[in-house]
Amino acid sequence: MLKVGLTGGIGAGKTTAAKMFAELGCHVIDADSITRDLFKPGHPVRTLVAAAFGPAVVASDGSIDRKVLGELVFRDEGLRQKLNGIVHPAILQRQKAFLDVASGVDPDGIGMVEAALMVEAGTYKNYDKLVVVITSPEIQRQRLRERTNLTGDEIEARIGAQLPMPEKAKFADYIIDNSGTLEDMRRQVETIYYELRGLELAMGGDSDKRD
Ligand code: ATP
């Protein structure tokens, strides 16, 4: 199975691209939905986060309130690292388990992991190929303003906590420029998908890690 990482700036369109790749037949898992699951009542990660950050981050249903937690960690690099130290190992374990299962079911397929911080965390090295979704800074801010309930300051804090998109793009094997319409994005996703398929076929399902 060809293992592909999908990353990009906050609000750049990673989830939208991931859905398009999934529609084409890729096996896709996204870090955001893993985190939501890990933060549900009963999960040990949720218990560790609640213990580390206090009752203010626990919602009335017992899960971790991601908005409250986000307000804390995006203001403070030390707290962000503390959270990442708790959550990242569990996310990586889930991603690996997902790819192992997908590879067993579809050894000649494409397994894709979507995550925002792959370049920052160095985990992009776990994949054979890396796709980076970028957009212009203006469109990124405009989409975040229109589609989230984040304030201007919260948006800037989140953008500031990530490597700038042009820096991320330097790590890419494939770049999706999502500054245009959804149809523009779909065309780019299709082109990349067929290139990835060609690679997987050429490697006969025996693709190596990128390094
Ligand atoms: P996050 O970092 O917050 O998880 P993301 O990178 O996964 O974001 P998406 O959730 O895919 O980004 O996109 C952000 C918002 O912009 C969504 O509401 C999505 O529907 C919208 N969007 C994405 N691409 C386009 C586009 N080309 N045209 C218009 N809207 C778009």
Coordinates of all heavy atoms in Angstrom, one line a residue, residues 9-17 32 114 116 143-144 147 162 178 180-182 185, ligand 1:
G9 N -2.1 24.3 5.8 CA -2.4 25.3 6.8 C -3.8 25.1 7.4 O -4.7 24.5 6.8
I10 N -4.1 25.7 8.6 CA -5.4 25.7 9.1 C -6.4 26.4 8.2 O -6.1 27.4 7.6 CB -5.4 26.4 10.5 CG1 -6.9 26.5 11.0 CG2 -4.8 27.7 10.5 CD1 -7.0 27.1 12.4
G11 N -7.5 25.7 7.9 CA -8.5 26.3 7.0 C -8.2 26.3 5.6 O -8.9 26.8 4.7
A12 N -7.0 25.6 5.2 CA -6.6 25.6 3.8 C -7.5 24.7 2.9 O -7.6 25.0 1.7 CB -5.2 25.2 3.7
G13 N -8.1 23.7 3.6 CA -9.0 22.8 2.8 C -8.5 21.4 2.9 O -8.9 20.6 2.0
K14 N -7.8 21.0 3.9 CA -7.4 19.6 4.1 C -8.5 18.6 4.1 O -8.5 17.6 3.5 CB -6.5 19.5 5.4 CG -5.3 20.4 5.5 CD -4.6 20.2 6.8 CE -5.4 20.7 8.0 NZ -5.7 22.1 8.0
T15 N -9.5 19.0 5.0 CA -10.6 18.0 5.1 C -11.4 17.9 3.8 O -11.8 16.8 3.5 CB -11.6 18.5 6.3 OG1 -10.8 18.7 7.4 CG2 -12.6 17.5 6.6
T16 N -11.6 19.0 3.1 CA -12.3 19.0 1.8 C -11.5 18.1 0.9 O -12.1 17.2 0.2 CB -12.4 20.4 1.3 OG1 -13.0 21.2 2.3 CG2 -13.3 20.4 0.1
A17 N -10.2 18.3 0.8 CA -9.4 17.4 -0.1 C -9.4 16.0 0.3 O -9.5 15.1 -0.5 CB -7.9 17.9 -0.1
D32 N -8.3 15.0 13.2 CA -9.3 15.7 13.9 C -10.4 14.7 14.5 O -10.8 14.9 15.6 CB -10.0 16.7 12.9 CG -10.0 18.0 13.5 OD1 -9.1 18.4 14.3 OD2 -11.0 18.8 13.2
E114 N -4.7 12.4 7.1 CA -4.8 13.8 7.1 C -4.5 14.4 8.5 O -5.1 13.9 9.5 CB -6.2 14.3 6.7 CG -6.3 15.8 6.6 CD -7.7 16.3 7.1 OE1 -8.7 15.6 7.0 OE2 -7.6 17.3 7.8
A116 N -2.9 18.2 10.6 CA -2.5 19.6 10.4 C -1.0 19.8 10.6 O -0.3 20.6 10.0 CB -3.3 20.5 11.3
R143 N -12.0 32.4 4.8 CA -12.7 31.1 5.1 C -12.9 30.9 6.6 O -13.9 30.4 7.0 CB -12.1 30.0 4.3 CG -12.3 30.1 2.8 CD -11.9 28.8 2.1 NE -12.0 29.0 0.7 CZ -11.0 28.6 -0.2 NH1 -10.0 27.9 0.3 NH2 -11.1 28.8 -1.5
L144 N -11.8 31.1 7.3 CA -11.9 30.9 8.7 C -12.9 31.8 9.4 O -13.6 31.4 10.3 CB -10.5 31.0 9.4 CG -9.5 29.9 9.1 CD1 -8.1 30.2 9.5 CD2 -10.0 28.6 9.7
R147 N -16.5 30.6 8.4 CA -16.9 29.2 8.7 C -16.6 28.7 10.0 O -16.8 27.5 10.3 CB -16.3 28.2 7.6 CG -16.7 28.7 6.2 CD -16.3 27.8 5.2 NE -16.3 28.5 3.9 CZ -17.1 28.3 2.9 NH1 -18.0 27.3 3.0 NH2 -17.1 29.0 1.8
Q162 N 1.4 27.6 13.6 CA 1.8 26.6 12.5 C 2.9 27.2 11.7 O 3.0 28.5 11.6 CB 0.6 26.3 11.6 CG -0.6 25.7 12.2 CD -1.5 25.1 11.2 OE1 -1.5 25.5 10.0 NE2 -2.4 24.2 11.6
N178 N -5.5 25.6 -3.1 CA -7.0 25.8 -3.0 C -7.4 27.2 -2.8 O -8.3 27.5 -2.0 CB -7.4 24.9 -1.8 CG -8.9 24.9 -1.6 OD1 -9.6 24.9 -2.6 ND2 -9.4 24.8 -0.4
G180 N -8.8 28.7 -5.3 CA -9.9 28.9 -6.3 C -11.2 28.2 -5.8 O -11.5 28.1 -4.6
T181 N -11.9 27.7 -6.8 CA -13.2 27.0 -6.5 C -13.0 25.6 -6.0 O -11.9 25.0 -6.2 CB -14.1 27.0 -7.7 OG1 -13.5 26.2 -8.7 CG2 -14.4 28.4 -8.3
L182 N -14.1 25.0 -5.6 CA -14.0 23.6 -5.2 C -13.8 22.7 -6.4 O -13.1 21.7 -6.3 CB -15.4 23.1 -4.5 CG -15.5 23.7 -3.1 CD1 -17.0 23.4 -2.6 CD2 -14.5 23.1 -2.1
M185 N -10.2 22.6 -7.1 CA -9.5 21.7 -6.2 C -9.7 20.3 -6.6 O -8.8 19.5 -6.6 CB -10.1 21.9 -4.7 CG -9.3 21.0 -3.8 SD -10.1 20.7 -2.3 CE -9.0 21.5 -1.1
Ligands
ATP1 P1 -9.0 23.0 9.6 O1 -7.5 23.3 9.7 O2 -9.8 24.0 10.4 O3 -9.3 21.6 10.0 P2 -9.1 22.4 6.8 O4 -7.8 22.7 6.3 O5 -9.5 21.0 7.0 O6 -9.5 23.2 8.1 P3 -11.6 22.6 5.4 O7 -12.4 22.3 6.6 O8 -11.5 21.6 4.3 O9 -10.1 23.1 5.8 O10 -12.1 24.0 4.7 C1 -12.3 25.1 5.5 C2 -13.7 25.7 5.1 O11 -13.5 26.3 3.8 C3 -14.8 24.6 5.0 O12 -16.0 25.2 5.4 C4 -14.8 24.3 3.5 O13 -16.1 23.9 3.1 C5 -14.5 25.6 2.9 N1 -13.7 25.5 1.6 C6 -12.7 24.7 1.4 N2 -12.3 24.8 0.1 C7 -13.1 25.7 -0.5 C8 -13.1 26.3 -1.8 N3 -12.3 26.0 -2.7 N4 -14.1 27.2 -2.0 C9 -15.0 27.5 -1.0 N5 -15.0 27.0 0.2 C10 -14.0 26.1 0.5

